[in-house]
Amino acid sequence: MRVVKRLGTQLEPVLHRSRYGPFAAHLLLEGPIASDEGREVISVTNPATGEELSTVVSASPDDVRVAIHDAHQAFKLGVWSKTPAIQRAAVLSILAQHLEENILRLARIESMQTGRTIREMTAQLGRLPEWLDYYAALLRTHSAYVAPTQGPLLNYVQRVPLGVVAQITPFNHPLLIALKKIAPAIATGNSVVVKPSELAPMTVLEFAELTAEAGVPPGVLSVLPGYGRTIGKEIVSHPLIRKVDITAGTSTGRELGSLVGGNLAAYTAELGGKAPIVVFDDADPISAANGAAFACFVASGQTCVSGTRLIVQDGIYDEFMSLFLAKVNSITRRMGNPLNPKSTMGTVISQSHLQRIESIVQRGKAKSHGKLLVGGERLTGKSELDGFDFSKGSFFPPTVFENVSLESELWREEIFGPVVVVKRFSDEKRGLQLANASKYGLGAGIWTRDLSKAHRISAEIEAGLVWVNTHHRNDPSSPWGGMKESGIGRENGLEAFEAYTQSKSTIVNIATVEETRQAQDWFAEDEEQASTSRIDGGLRSSHPPDEECVVLEMVSGETA
């Protein structure tokens, strides 16, 4: 039971801790409020108000080394890695239930630490138990297979865990992205070390406490908050780490990838994006305008699959843009306190990120890279919705540029904010060219009522995820990842399950003793015995195994 505080005569649950520390086996004795001796202290602020929510004691380099050592020891001892799959599945199911009971509280924390609206966070976090339930179900149903090996041999192939794996998670979907990575990693028996974003670490630390309550043993999950340039690099470069899974910008992905490669560890990276939304003449204009607004402005545009390039065909352009801009104006009018359930769009993550967005927009305006249709400046007044003071937070309104150049920074670079560029196209070929005119390839959207066209264009778009007449849809069973500079590897589904495991092939000779004695004696002195049919790899020989015969048989592929 969480501690309660007294407000007048009422008792109210404490929403979150005023101070957090690293969650690792060797630090659990200190409890959630760790000593800051030899460790940095990070202030987590509410980007809507600028107020401090909590302080978080960062892990130190020593904490990283000890946590990874403890995780490795837990893995080798088998306290989790060798637990039967059915038991791990039961713990995941219990954890899903604990998480479900805490969704409303965690959604409120998530809204406060990211500035995103409470209705967004409640909807998003409400689905998180599905990831735990999905991988619990996989554990209950996944089985090894028998390979069709030649000869009297039984070859069964199992998936076994990798060992200690590291995960670096971002600020934009703090708990969702962390859970997408943690669920398959612990389901398959690995020990996991997570470095959450220093801007939004609170819900990941809260979730770690839930895992302990559900029965995940100490050392199996460690959460080490801190800065990426120090703690993140310390984690991913450790030689005991067997896999690294990150969600980050492309430049960070390249930098960390070089460290991972040095240890010959596996690597999954979901990186930047610049998703095109292609609207064809035959699309339903109202659905397309509503869907595009959702694609572009949910999470204040701070998602890797955010619809940032609207590509609209000539015949529907005017009607679509009229509807789309009306929706943009409606969103802007109804922005307010992110904790207000009626608020439509929240903040960007920080003042520094707000300044970055402003700089990109100002450069676009100064260089006449397209026409600014709406937005373009931070919000500083009072909300029409609820009187909330925008000037204290990092609020930037939905912003739309029209007819930008393909060489423009606005078209090419990931802004990670509510900034959208719009461009016309004439025919299907040109629409596809514009959609693929990007170094990124994570997400894309198509709006059309022509089924053949939808499949045809989807097949040609260079993206790992393509939505037709919808956007931002995600499921634990659906692979998620990008092409080109948007990353490597996939999250979710069977692909993630297998990415956190490796195959182990066991080959058993099931011949009789007499057959085995004869077949295994390669160097028998008796020429007749040596020429007997053998079972090692299906080798058949009617001659003594002189050098010439062996070479010929190896070339023909008949010997192992």
Side-chain angles (χ1 to χ4, degrees):
M1 179 71 70
R2 185 170 280 276
V3 207
V4 294
K5 60 181 179 181
R6 187 174 295 278
L7 298 176
T9 58
Q10 299 293 319
L11 287 176
E12 183 178 292
V14 173
L15 186 65
H16 59 81
R17 302 183 189 282
S18 60
R19 188 176 178 89
Y20 291 88
F23 185 92
H26 72 290
L27 292 167
L28 290 180
L29 292 177
E30 293 186 48
I33 305 177
S35 164
D36 58 10
E37 184 177 351
R39 305 176 182 126
E40 291 183 272
V41 177
I42 300 169
S43 175
V44 180
T45 60
N46 184 336
T49 64
E51 297 173 350
E52 183 177 271
L53 293 171
S54 182
T55 57
V56 176
V57 178
S58 170
S60 67
D62 281 344
D63 290 334
V64 171
R65 289 187 284 272
V66 176
I68 293 175
H69 175 269
D70 288 352
H72 182 65
Q73 288 300 110
F75 180 78
K76 298 299 287 184
L77 289 171
V79 295
W80 182 252
S81 59
K82 295 179 182 177
T83 297
I86 198 71
Q87 292 183 28
R88 294 202 303 271
V91 172
L92 289 181
S93 296
I94 293 169
L95 179 56
Q97 183 179 349
H98 286 2
L99 179 58
E100 191 167 5
E101 292 166 356
N102 283 272
I103 289 299
L104 295 180
R105 180 177 66 85
L106 292 172
R108 194 170 177 86
I109 300 173
E110 199 91 313
S111 178
M112 293 168 69
Q113 71 176 350
T114 64
R116 291 178 58 182
T117 61
I118 188 65
R119 72 174 189 163
E120 276 185 23
M121 302 321 302
T122 302
Q124 185 181 93
L125 268 61
R127 293 200 57 207
L128 295 193
E130 294 176 28
W131 267 259
L132 295 165
D133 285 334
Y134 173 81
Y135 285 105
L138 267 188
L139 283 176
R140 294 185 178 100
T141 57
H142 196 270
S143 56
Y145 72 92
V146 177
T149 307
Q150 298 182 50
L153 301 171
L154 174 66
N155 182 185
Y156 60 90
V157 183
Q158 299 166 291
R159 304 297 303 189
V160 297
L162 300 173
V164 185
V165 300
Q167 300 170 343
I168 310 292
T169 62
F171 68 79
N172 56 329
H173 307 292
L175 192 50
L176 168 65
I177 292 178
L179 195 58
K180 282 169 65 177
K181 299 179 190 300
I182 292 169
I186 63 173
T188 47
N190 297 282
S191 294
V192 184
V193 178
V194 182
K195 205 294 286 183
S197 169
E198 66 275 10
L199 297 171
M202 294 164 61
T203 47
V204 182
L205 287 162
E206 290 275 350
F207 175 74
E209 293 185 38
L210 295 180
T211 65
E213 294 170 11
V216 177
V220 173
L221 176 66
S222 301
V223 179
L224 304 180
Y227 294 103
R229 63 181 180 271
T230 53
I231 299 306
K233 287 184 178 179
E234 189 84 26
I235 293 171
V236 303
S237 59
H238 196 286
L240 287 177
I241 297 294
R242 300 316 311 141
K243 176 181 171 66
V244 174
D245 187 341
I246 73 165
T247 297
T250 299
S251 59
T252 301
R254 281 199 177 97
E255 185 179 0
L256 294 183
S258 65
L259 296 175
V260 176
N263 286 329
L264 298 179
Y267 190 43
T268 297
E270 194 232 272
L271 306 176
K274 195 76 177 174
I277 308 294
V278 186
V279 182
F280 287 96
D281 284 343
D282 58 12
D284 174 54
I286 296 174
S287 298
N290 291 341
F294 174 67
C296 299
F297 304 121
V298 71
S300 301
Q302 297 171 116
T303 80
C304 300
V305 293
S306 180
T308 56
R309 295 181 295 135
L310 278 178
I311 301 165
V312 186
Q313 197 163 13
D314 288 333
I316 198 175
Y317 189 88
D318 291 338
E319 183 180 8
F320 171 84
M321 287 303 294
S322 176
L323 292 165
F324 180 71
L325 291 176
K327 181 63 66 174
V328 167
N329 289 328
S330 173
I331 293 169
T332 305
R333 283 197 318 272
R334 292 178 293 127
M335 288 175 67
N337 184 346
L339 292 176
N340 183 342
K342 295 182 179 180
S343 181
T344 50
M345 195 179 89
T347 72
V348 296
I349 191 60
S350 66
Q351 284 289 317
S352 62
H353 191 54
L354 176 65
Q355 291 164 10
R356 177 183 174 274
I357 294 170
E358 285 182 310
S359 296
I360 294 173
V361 169
Q362 291 306 314
R363 286 196 294 272
K365 290 163 63 177
K367 295 179 180 179
S368 300
H369 283 167
K371 178 183 178 183
L372 178 64
L373 298 181
V374 66
E377 295 182 357
R378 71 169 69 190
L379 297 179
T380 56
K382 296 290 181 70
S383 164
E384 291 183 35
L385 175 71
D386 55 17
F388 190 80
D389 186 357
F390 290 133
S391 65
K392 294 180 180 179
S394 303
F395 290 89
F396 199 84
T399 297
V400 183
F401 280 88
E402 185 180 44
N403 197 31
V404 301
S405 162
L406 298 191
E407 286 70 46
S408 167
E409 182 181 20
L410 293 167
W411 178 274
R412 291 184 296 106
E413 300 302 328
E414 184 177 40
I415 300 171
F416 223 62
V419 180
V420 179
V421 297
V422 188
K423 204 165 185 66
R424 291 174 179 264
F425 72 96
S426 54
D427 56 28
E428 187 177 306
K429 181 179 178 181
R430 181 57 177 162
L432 185 58
Q433 287 174 341
L434 290 172
N436 288 335
S438 174
K439 61 187 176 183
Y440 296 111
L442 184 56
I446 300 168
W447 288 86
T448 178
R449 282 182 278 192
D450 184 331
L451 184 62
S452 297
K453 184 187 296 178
H455 287 292
R456 189 167 61 247
I457 297 299
S458 174
E460 295 298 324
I461 284 183
E462 296 164 352
L465 298 146
V466 180
W467 291 281
V468 178
N469 297 332
T470 188
H471 205 83
H472 280 296
R473 302 304 178 185
N474 192 9
D475 191 86
S477 64
S478 179
W480 180 284
M483 299 178 179
K484 300 191 283 191
E485 292 190 20
S486 285
I488 181 171
R490 295 293 182 267
E491 297 180 334
N492 292 348
L494 285 168
E495 288 191 60
F497 188 90
E498 296 203 344
Y500 277 103
T501 60
Q502 55 195 331
S503 63
K504 181 172 183 176
S505 188
T506 302
I507 303 168
V508 182
N509 172 26
I510 57 173
T512 65
V513 172
E514 290 75 15
E515 291 172 328
T516 301
R517 286 177 177 176
Q518 195 173 56
Q520 298 294 336
D521 191 1
W522 177 269
F523 297 104
E525 293 182 7
D526 186 326
E527 182 177 338
E528 183 179 348
Q529 183 180 343
S531 63
T532 303
S533 296
R534 305 179 188 280
I535 61 171
D536 49 337
L539 177 64
R540 295 292 182 266
S541 173
S542 59
H543 303 283
D546 59 30
E547 183 177 348
E548 181 181 0
C549 290
V550 172
V551 170
L552 286 173
E553 288 166 340
M554 289 180 70
V555 169
S556 70
E558 294 180 357
T559 187

